[in-house]
Amino acid sequence: MVCGAETSLKPCGDVIVHTVCAHNCGGRARLACTVRKGKLVRVAAAPAPDEAYTGLCVRCLTLPQWVYSKERLLTPLRRTGPRGSGQFEPVDWDSALDEIAERLNELVSAHGTQSIAFARSTSGSPYHAFGRLSALLGGGGSLNCYGGIDMAVHMGLNSTFGYKGMYAQHANEWTDRLNSRLTIVWGHNPAETSMTAVRHLLNARDGGCRVVVIDPRYSATAMHANWWVAPRPGSDLPLALGILHVLLRDGMIDRDFLLKHSCAPYLVRLDDGQYFRGLPCADGKREFQLWDEQDQGPVAISEATRPALEGRYLIGDVAVATAFTLLQDMARDYPPDRVAALTDVSASDIVELAHCYWEAGPVQIGVGYGVDRYKHGELFTRAVAAIAIVTGNIGKPGAGVGVQSHHQGFHEASLGPEPDLPPWAHTISTPIIEVGRKDLPIRAVFSQGDWINQRSGDMNATLDFFKSLDFIVTVDHFHQLTTQWSDIVLPASTFLEATAPTRDAVVFGNSVYLRQKVIDPVGNSRPDFDIERALAERLGLAEWYCETSEDLTRHVVDGASHSAFKHVTYDRLMEAGGALRLDVPTTPNIQYENLRFETKTGRAEFYLEELAAVGEALPVFEPDHEALPTHPLAKRYPLVLIQSHVRQRAHSTFFNTKWTLEIWPEPILELNPDDARDRRLLTGELAEAFNDRGRVVARVVCNPDFPPGMCNISEGWKQNQYVAGNVQELTNSEINDAQTAVWGHANIPFFDTRVDVRAVAREGSEA
C-alpha cells in the first residue's frame, strides 16, 4: 500500500483512508481505515514516513465500535428534570445554540466575562478547545480552567532545564534507547499505556541495554525488565535522593559537566538562599558569582579562571556556599539505611542502583505519570534530574532524563502559530484544582468531555460546585457524567468524522502528519469548529471566523519557521498523502544536545532560588504525602488507592467499546491477597472502598502484583459502570502551595489517597 492519506479502492468496493490517531496515549499511530458504504468497519496500521514508527495499539483496533457506541450523542439535548437526573429532551441545533448564546450574553452582562469558565477533559474532542471563542467572549475573555493532570513531572523538569511547554519535557527519541547501556523506567508502564513505544525498549534490552523498572506493582513492563525495583507507594523521591547520596558519597560525579553546564559552582547566600550576585555591571545588571580558586575570591562567570565546585566562604559579612556544596549537604540526609526504611527498598539495592547507574555508560531515566500523581511529583523529577546532572548523563546519545511516554522524544520542531486575535482577546487562567475549592466568580461552565469524572479529585466537592452554577453546557461524543449534570448537551463529531483546523496537523517523532476525515458525522453531530463558529455568529463574533478549516491548517503548516519544515508545506503534505518526514537528521533526536538550557543561568539548575523561602530550593523530601505510612490518616485508612492506566483505554476514552468490555466488563477493586484475607474478602465479592471524602463499590480481584497496603481501581471507568459511588469521590485534591507559587497552579495528587475496604452484603448495601 502506498504511504499516504489518499483513498484507494479495494476489489470489494471498500475504501481505505489514511489518518492519524488523536487520542492521548502519545503514540499518534498512523491509521489505515477501511470504509464500506460510508461506514468505518476496520482499522489497521498505515505506513509512517519512518518505518520505525509504523504501528498501532489495541485501542485503535476498536475505533469502529467506539465511533458507533450505543452511548453516542446523536442530537442536541436540553435538560428537563433536576440537574443531575439525566432527564433530557432532544432539540434542534438552532434552538440549542440560540439558548446557549442568550444565556452566556445574560451572564456576561450581569456578572462579567469571568463568570464564564471553559473547561475540557481528555475524553472530550481531541483536537479543538474553543480557545478562540473563550478569548473573544464579551470583549474581555472568559476563564480558562487548566492544569491539574500529568503536570508535576514537567514542572520539575522545566524548573531544572528551562521551560519547554507544560507537556514538552521529554527524554530522547525512542529509537535512541539502542544507544543506552542502562535504561531506568520509573513510574511508567509502556507495555500497556504506550504500546507503540515499548518495542523500542525491548529492542534496546535485546541489544544489551539493561532495563530497570521502578514501580510498586509488578506491571506488564516490569515482567520484561532485567531488574524490578518496588518502592513503597509515594516514596519515589526518597529513593532518588538515596541514589544521589551514594553517587556523591562515592565520588561518582562528572566534575567537568558540573562546572561547565550546571549551577553547581554558583555561589548561594546562606542568609536568604538566593544566588550571590556581585556589584552592578556597566549595564546595571548584577552577574552571578563563582569562587575563583586562583584569585581566592568571588568573580563573575566570564572572569573565572579556576572555579571552585565545593566550598563555603565569607564575602564581607555575607556567608556563601556553592550550590553543589548545598546539594551535598542535603543528600547526606538520605543514606541508604534511612532510605531503605522510607521506601522498603534494601540499602544494598540502593547502593547497587547508584553504582549500576554510574558504571553502565550512557544511561537514560524515562519517567511516566505514575510518579506524577503524588503531592510533590515535581520534587521527584527535580531529584532524578539532579542524578543525571551530577553524572553528566545529559545531552548525549543514550543518556538523558525526561518523560518517556509521549511524542517519541520529538525533534525541536513545531507548527506555526495560530492566526492572531485582536489585542483585547485573552483568557484568564484558573487552575482546575481550585474550582469548587476556592471562591471564584464562575456562574457557568462550558465543558468539553467528561470533566467531572476525569479532571477533578474529591468529586463530591466538584458536584457541589456544579449544583451552585446558573448554567452548564457540555460538548461531547458520548453520554457521560458531565452531560448528566448539564443544561444543554451538544453532540460533537469525533476526529474520524471531520477535518479540524490547526490541530489537524501534528508533529511527532521525526514526521508531520495531517489528520484526515474518514467518514461523515454520525447522527446529527457536528465538528467542534462548526459548533464554535455557529456560537460565535450568535454572539456577534463572526468576523473572527472567516477562515475554513483548511485555511487554518494551511496557516499553521506553512507558517512553521523551524528549519525542519524547510521542504514541508501544506500542499506537499497533501500530495504525499498526509505524512512527510521532517528535515531532521536520520540519527535519533537527543534532548539538550547543544547543552543550552533556557534557565536564568543558561545552565541546568538543580538549585532553585525561587523556592528558598519555602525550603524547597533543593529537591528535599517532604513527608506530608497522604500515601506515606507516617501520615495521620494511615491508621484509619491503611490502604493507598491508585488508578493504574490499562491497555483498553486512553484515560477514559474507549470506556464503552464492546470488544474490550467482553474481556473486562466492569470496574474491579484489586487487592493484594493478604489484604483481602485480612478483610475476609474473596475474588468476585463486592466490596466498598471508602474514606472521609466518599465511597465506591466494585467487585474484588485478589492480585499479588500489587503489594500489601496498596489497592487499585484502574482509571477511566464511568459513573454508570460502578455498582455504587465513583473512585473519584475518594481522591485527594490537596493544593501544593510551592507548585502554585512557581507555576500558578498545582497538580492534583490523585494517588495520594488513603482508603479502607470492607465487604458489601449485596449491591448497594453494606454488610
Side-chain angles (χ1 to χ4, degrees), residues 454-489:
Q454 288 301 114
R455 302 288 287 188
S456 62
D458 190 4
M459 190 180 75
N460 285 324
T462 307
L463 288 176
D464 287 340
F465 164 71
F466 264 49
K467 293 173 186 176
S468 73
L469 295 173
D470 295 337
F471 191 53
I472 303 170
V473 178
T474 295
V475 181
D476 206 342
H477 309 312
F478 307 105
H479 286 285
Q480 306 189 68
L481 180 58
T482 309
T483 60
Q484 180 178 320
W485 282 84
S486 299
D487 299 299
I488 297 288
V489 178

Side-chain angles (χ1 to χ4, degrees), residues 640-653:
V640 176
L641 172 68
I642 68 164
Q643 298 177 64
S644 65
H645 290 196
V646 293
R647 69 178 68 90
Q648 289 86 355
R649 294 185 294 278
H651 292 297
S652 67
T653 306

Side-chain angles (χ1 to χ4, degrees), residues 167 199 359 416 478 480-481 508 533 578 630 680 702 750:
Y167 288 110
R199 63 174 171 171
E359 295 164 7
F478 307 105
Q480 306 189 68
L481 180 58
F508 61 97
R533 185 198 299 274
T630 53
R680 298 181 180 180
C702 297
F750 288 107

Side-chain angles (χ1 to χ4, degrees), residues 64 104 182 527 537 641 673 677 709:
L104 293 183
L182 173 69
E537 290 171 352
L641 172 68
R677 188 179 306 112

Side-chain angles (χ1 to χ4, degrees), residues 215-218 228 230-233 344 639-640 642 670-675 703-711:
D215 195 322
R217 66 175 177 135
Y218 188 60
W228 170 48
R232 179 184 292 148
D344 288 341
L639 302 177
V640 176
I642 68 164
E670 296 179 274
L671 290 167
N672 182 273
D674 293 343
D675 290 328
N703 186 351
D705 291 346
F706 293 90
M710 185 182 199
C711 60

Side-chain angles (χ1 to χ4, degrees), residues 254-266:
D254 187 329
R255 190 179 185 89
D256 187 63
F257 185 92
L258 283 165
L259 285 170
K260 293 180 179 178
H261 304 296
S262 84
C263 67
Y266 282 50

Side-chain angles (χ1 to χ4, degrees), residues 380-396:
F380 164 75
T381 45
R382 286 177 58 200
V384 293
I387 290 172
I389 291 167
V390 301
T391 58
N393 274 292
I394 299 289
K396 55 189 178 185

Side-chain angles (χ1 to χ4, degrees), residues 30 195 493 556 571 715:
R30 192 155 188 260
M195 285 180 274
S493 302
V556 297
D571 289 334
E715 184 203 37

